[in-house]
Short mmCIF file of all heavy atoms in Angstrom, two decimals:
data_model
loop_
_atom_site.label_atom_id
_atom_site.label_comp_id
_atom_site.label_asym_id
_atom_site.label_seq_id
_atom_site.Cartn_x
_atom_site.Cartn_y
_atom_site.Cartn_z
N VAL A 69 207.08 208.21 -37.86
CA VAL A 69 207.17 209.62 -37.46
C VAL A 69 208.13 210.30 -38.44
O VAL A 69 209.23 209.82 -38.69
CB VAL A 69 207.74 209.76 -36.02
CG1 VAL A 69 207.82 211.23 -35.62
CG2 VAL A 69 206.89 208.98 -35.02
N LEU A 163 221.40 188.16 -36.43
CA LEU A 163 221.17 189.31 -35.55
C LEU A 163 219.74 189.31 -35.03
O LEU A 163 219.49 189.58 -33.85
CB LEU A 163 221.48 190.59 -36.33
CG LEU A 163 221.44 191.90 -35.56
CD1 LEU A 163 222.37 191.86 -34.36
CD2 LEU A 163 221.84 193.05 -36.48
N TYR A 180 220.72 204.85 -47.59
CA TYR A 180 221.34 204.64 -48.91
C TYR A 180 220.67 203.55 -49.74
O TYR A 180 221.19 203.16 -50.78
CB TYR A 180 222.84 204.30 -48.72
CG TYR A 180 223.58 205.43 -48.05
CD1 TYR A 180 223.95 205.36 -46.71
CD2 TYR A 180 223.85 206.61 -48.74
CE1 TYR A 180 224.59 206.42 -46.09
CE2 TYR A 180 224.48 207.67 -48.13
CZ TYR A 180 224.85 207.58 -46.81
OH TYR A 180 225.47 208.64 -46.21
N GLY A 322 245.63 220.57 -50.96
CA GLY A 322 244.38 220.98 -51.58
C GLY A 322 243.36 219.86 -51.75
O GLY A 322 242.58 219.86 -52.70
#
Side-chain angles (χ1 to χ4, degrees):
V69 180
L163 186 56
Y180 299 105

